[in-house]
């Protein structure tokens, strides 16, 4: 091996440990690249909130995996499940977590480029072979793509200490404002726009497809809504909760799948959250315990 | 169970030849040696890129074509790993599937296999994976091709019971063969039982892979190896045969190729078969759903 190749190899190895590689370019991908555990008992799908909400480290006897990615739509959930279901044992539990606005964003099928490294190209709704080659090259030769500015930027710090009531309220308002803009909503009390109605209906279809997929393979699907902080809960009027969460899930009743609604679970106080939306480590362990108990796995 | 045979009526050899990734002259020589040693089942697939090599051997005619059983598979691509052809077929998102029917694609694939293997009929064609939304249509064309006399037997590969049940319901035709992975640590009891009940011949791929990667608990086989004076590989191949399947073993090594087929002089007892099967831990060798999402 030439000296240049050796240097390139070392530099690639260094970049593969970088924050940019693991948390920007290929956030949450490495667990899929390394996945080789068959006969899993429990897995969860989901987006950012589910990624933080499930921590199975207190249950070493169970074979588990957190297949959530940040961010991930319901379409992403479905494709991850279709690509990795061979790792599940017969009768395994598949937790399908929802977010407060899964109903509007869940059917988005524009999967991020990082999915090219995780899914078979046949699973990418708008696949481009050129893009796939680019992503695989970035994965294998990251030194050629590493943005040098990253050397001078600090990785964002996770806030360790508990948030004050005011901080959580501010964060909750900020999130609601982001969602409002993301879905082009003028006021949350307005009727859904045509585009959002379509997304809502499509989202229900995707959840139904995930459930059907599980049932066809003797897997046990469970729909779960993780808790949010009181500050965020207060931003939801009963009408909003009824439309965005309860109404969305209502159509699933015909599928005869349990829905564990922890949106307003008061066991999860402010000290369980890393911000107004997402649980912290302690909150995740508590929540995972609660869910596994509810579905009878720990009985 | 329907007894499968070669076109000349000869019974299939106890062990078939796996050919994954053998190509060209290497494939041809490997096949010729195997046939000389007594193999008559040759298993390939359109995406192994070995059909041309098989054709070379068929044309050289060191054996009679009708004495060998040539089996290939219909795959969702014929691409080498780095080519943009990957996943072109049986995929809703690709232009080729919008322009052509499944029937057209399957017929073209079978034509290509016939041309490359230099033969005017195929003994067996399998659907490589149960490509979701497509495998029933692929099956319908294979049923037609069988009626037309182009293919003698049709079957499937990596199919689960639920997939075969769907074929049964939609076409009324049961596959003659299902090619799956089976090992003492992944015994596939349900598939074996289902195959027996439905007269499906199981062929097993990578039957010796778990030895190669040291996953077989060898200490459990010492007694049997001593009793029959056979190697671990031979005991495992015989276990496959005694459960009613044809293992498809692959080797570049002429001695191993010869050893693998020398299993006709002993038979495991029912207790010995059960003992080996008791090592089961539902091992799976391929991540099927990563290869064929939604399998």
């Amino acid at each position: 091996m030439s000296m240049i190749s050796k240097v390139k190899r070392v530099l690639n190895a260094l970049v593969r440990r970088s924050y940019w590689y693991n948390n920007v370019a290929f956030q949450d991908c490495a667990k899929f690249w390394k996945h080789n555990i068959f006969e899993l008992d429990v897995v969860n799908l989901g987006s950012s909130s589910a990624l933080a909400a499930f921590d199975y480290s207190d249950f070493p006897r169970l074979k588990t995996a957190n297949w959530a990615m940040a961010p991930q739509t319901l379409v992403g959930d479905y494709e991850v499940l279709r690509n990795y279901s061979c790792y599940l044992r017969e009768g395994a539990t598949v937790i399908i977590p929802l977010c407060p606005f899964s109903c509007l964003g869940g059917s988005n099928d524009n999967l991020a480029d990082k999915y090219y490294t995780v899914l078979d190209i046949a699973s990418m709704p708008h696949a481009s072979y050129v893009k796939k080659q680019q992503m695989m090259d970035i994965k294998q030769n990251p030194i050629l793509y590493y943005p040098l500015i990253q050397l001078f930027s600090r990785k964002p710090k996770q806030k360790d200490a508990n948030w004050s009531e005011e901080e959580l309220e501010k964060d909750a308002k900020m999130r609601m404002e982001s969602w409002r803009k993301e879905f082009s909503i003028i006021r949350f009390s307005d009727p859904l726009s045509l585009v959002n109605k379509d997304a809502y209906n499509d989202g229900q279809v995707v959840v139904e497809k995930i459930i059907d997929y599980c049932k066809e393979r003797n897997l046990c699907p469970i729909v779960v809504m993780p808790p949010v902080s009181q500050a965020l809960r207060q931003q939801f009027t009963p009408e909003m909760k009824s439309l965005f969460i309860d109404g969305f899930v209502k159509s699933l009743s015909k599928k005869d799948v349990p829905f564990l609604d922890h949106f307003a679970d008061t066991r999860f106080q402010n000290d369980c959250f890393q911000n107004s939306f997402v649980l912290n480590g302690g909150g995740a362990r508590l929540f995972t315990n609660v869910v596994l108990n509810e579905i009878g796995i720990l009985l | 169970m329907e007894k499968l045979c070669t076109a000349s009526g000869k019974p299939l050899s106890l062990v078939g030849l796996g050919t994954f990734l053998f190509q060209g002259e290497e494939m041809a020589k490997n096949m010729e040696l195997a046939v000389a040693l007594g193999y008559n089942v040759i298993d390939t697939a359109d995406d192994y890129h070995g059909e041309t090599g098989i054709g070379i051997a068929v044309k050289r005619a060191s054996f009679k074509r009708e004495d060998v059983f040539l089996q290939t598979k219909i795959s969702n691509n014929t691409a080498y790993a780095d080519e943009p052809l990957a996943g072109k077929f049986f995929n809703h998102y690709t232009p080729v599937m919008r322009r052509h029917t499944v029937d057209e694609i399957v017929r073209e694939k079978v034509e290509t296999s016939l041309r490359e293997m230099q033969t005017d009929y195929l003994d067996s064609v399998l659907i490589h994976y149960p490509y979701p939304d497509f495998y029933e249509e692929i099956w319908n064309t294979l049923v037609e091709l069988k009626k037309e006399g182009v293919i003698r037997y049709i079957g499937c590969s990596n199919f689960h019971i639920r997939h075969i049940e769907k074929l049964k319901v939609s076409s009324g035709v049961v596959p003659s063969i299902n090619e799956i992975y089976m090992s003492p640590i992944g015994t596939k009891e349900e598939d074996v039982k289902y195959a027996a009940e439905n007269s499906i011949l199981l062929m097993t791929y990578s039957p010796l892979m778990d030895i190669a990667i040291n996953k077989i608990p060898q200490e459990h086989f010492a007694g049997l190896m001593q009793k029959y004076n056979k190697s671990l590989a031979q005991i495992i191949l015989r276990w496959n045969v005694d459960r009613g399947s044809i293992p498809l073993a692959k080797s570049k090594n002429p001695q191993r190729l010869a050893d693998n087929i020398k299993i006709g002089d002993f038979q495991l007892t029912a207790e010995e078969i059960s003992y080996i099967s008791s090592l089961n831990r539902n091992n799976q060798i391929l991540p099927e759903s990563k290869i064929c999402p939604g399998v």
Side-chain angles (χ1 to χ4, degrees), chain A residues 82-83 85-87 129 213 217, chain B residues 86 162 287 289-290 293-295:
Chain A
R82 275 163 47 86
N83 276 256
S85 57
C86 66
Y87 292 104
Y129 289 103
Y213 185 89
R217 287 153 186 80
Chain B
R162 68 174 185 279
S289 59
K290 279 175 86 176
V295 64

Side-chain angles (χ1 to χ4, degrees), chain A residues 32 35 38-39 79 82-87 120-125 129 133 213 216-217, chain B residues 82 84 86-88 91 93-94 132 162 166 282 284 286-291 293-295:
Chain A
F32 291 105
H35 206 312
F38 284 87
E39 294 286 290
E79 293 302 342
R82 275 163 47 86
N83 276 256
Y84 291 86
S85 57
C86 66
Y87 292 104
D120 186 279
I121 193 161
S123 287
M124 298 288 286
Y129 289 103
Q133 283 170 333
Y213 185 89
E216 244 183 54
R217 287 153 186 80
Chain B
D82 58 348
K88 264 283 195 249
N91 174 353
Y93 301 127
T94 60
R162 68 174 185 279
K166 271 197 176 174
N282 295 331
Q284 189 56 262
L286 291 177
E288 289 176 351
S289 59
K290 279 175 86 176
I291 300 167
V295 64

Side-chain angles (χ1 to χ4, degrees), chain B residues 17-31 34 42-54 80 249-254 257:
Chain B
L17 180 71
T19 65
F20 182 58
L21 295 186
F22 285 149
Q23 291 178 30
E25 189 58 33
E26 184 187 38
M27 174 71 250
K29 283 186 174 156
N30 196 261
M31 179 178 165
I42 313 294
D43 174 70
T44 186
D46 55 357
D47 63 349
Y48 295 176
H49 304 289
E51 291 179 341
T52 314
I54 291 173
Y80 291 86
K250 172 192 145 182
S251 181
K252 264 186 190 180
N253 182 319
L257 214 51

Side-chain angles (χ1 to χ4, degrees), chain A residues 55-62 281-282 284-286 288-289 292 298:
Chain A
D55 178 347
Y56 301 98
S57 53
D58 289 344
F59 312 101
R61 283 191 187 170
L62 286 177
R285 282 196 295 280
L286 173 62
T288 308
N289 199 319
L292 294 187
L298 300 181

Side-chain angles (χ1 to χ4, degrees), chain B residues 191-243:
Chain B
D191 295 84
V192 172
K193 187 166 170 263
Y194 181 83
E197 286 168 358
N198 289 274
S199 295
I200 298 169
L201 172 67
L202 284 183
M203 292 197 180
T204 58
Y205 62 77
S206 307
L208 305 176
M209 179 60 84
D210 290 325
I211 300 178
I213 56 177
N214 282 324
K215 282 180 101 174
I216 293 284
Q218 300 201 18
E219 64 279 8
H220 292 273
F221 290 84
L224 290 171
M225 287 159 67
Q226 198 177 16
K227 176 180 171 187
Y228 295 111
N229 193 25
K230 293 287 177 184
S231 68
L232 177 60
Q234 287 169 317
I235 298 284
I236 288 177
L237 291 171
R238 188 69 224 189
W239 170 81
N240 273 266
V241 171
D242 288 338
R243 297 179 90 215

Side-chain angles (χ1 to χ4, degrees), chain B residues 74-107:
Chain B
I74 302 274
S75 310
N76 66 347
N77 73 78
T78 44
Y80 291 86
D82 58 348
E83 283 181 355
L85 270 173
K88 264 283 195 249
F89 304 111
F90 316 131
N91 174 353
H92 286 298
Y93 301 127
T94 60
V96 72
M97 294 310 298
R98 287 198 287 272
R99 288 196 181 125
H100 301 284
T101 62
V102 170
D103 184 69
E104 273 180 285
I105 290 165
V106 172
R107 284 178 182 275

